[in-house]
Amino acid sequence: MFVFVVLIVLLFAFYLFYKTKYFRSNRHVEKKWLSAKANIALGLFVLLFGINHLLFISESTVTYLVAAIFIIYGAIFSWIGFKKYKHYLPFAIEEAKTLDAQK
């Protein structure tokens, strides 16, 4: 249980970190790439939150249902974020090289 709590807090911190970098970035594609990384962190946060509730806190049918919804939603959100991350990574690298070469 302690491992899940530490991972949940760590993933929430990563989400806040990437969202802050997203708002501070001036590059268009880099913003999309950072948003994808934030989506992965948020999805894993929700997924682990649901698993934690399912394994350690559940006592009724309603909490099982809510935990299952969190797990499904978190998995889908992480998967979509990972696909976006893989898609935007080469474009972000190219954008960084182009803008750094212009300076």
Side-chain angles (χ1 to χ4, degrees):
M1 180 174 179
F2 180 71
V3 173
F4 280 117
V5 173
V6 169
L7 287 174
I8 288 169
V9 171
L10 188 65
L11 286 168
F12 187 68
F14 274 121
Y15 171 73
L16 292 176
F17 174 74
Y18 288 128
K19 271 302 180 184
T20 303
K21 285 186 76 166
Y22 168 82
F23 286 117
R24 297 184 74 192
S25 176
N26 293 327
R27 299 175 178 175
H28 180 67
V29 179
E30 185 182 43
K31 278 189 149 197
K32 291 183 179 186
W33 180 62
L34 289 169
S35 178
K37 289 170 82 171
N39 285 350
I40 294 169
L42 183 63
L44 290 174
F45 165 76
V46 172
L47 175 81
L48 288 178
F49 192 79
I51 291 172
N52 190 39
H53 274 275
L54 186 68
L55 295 177
F56 301 110
I57 301 174
S58 294
E59 294 189 15
S60 69
T61 308
V62 175
T63 53
Y64 283 128
L65 183 63
V66 170
I69 290 170
F70 277 15
I71 291 169
I72 293 168
Y73 179 74
I76 291 171
F77 210 65
S78 295
W79 182 63
I80 291 171
F82 184 69
K83 287 182 69 168
K84 286 181 180 180
Y85 173 82
K86 283 178 49 177
H87 174 74
Y88 287 119
L89 180 61
F91 298 117
I93 292 170
E94 185 64 32
E95 181 184 50
K97 285 180 183 177
T98 304
L99 292 176
D100 288 341
Q102 290 176 356
K103 288 184 179 182

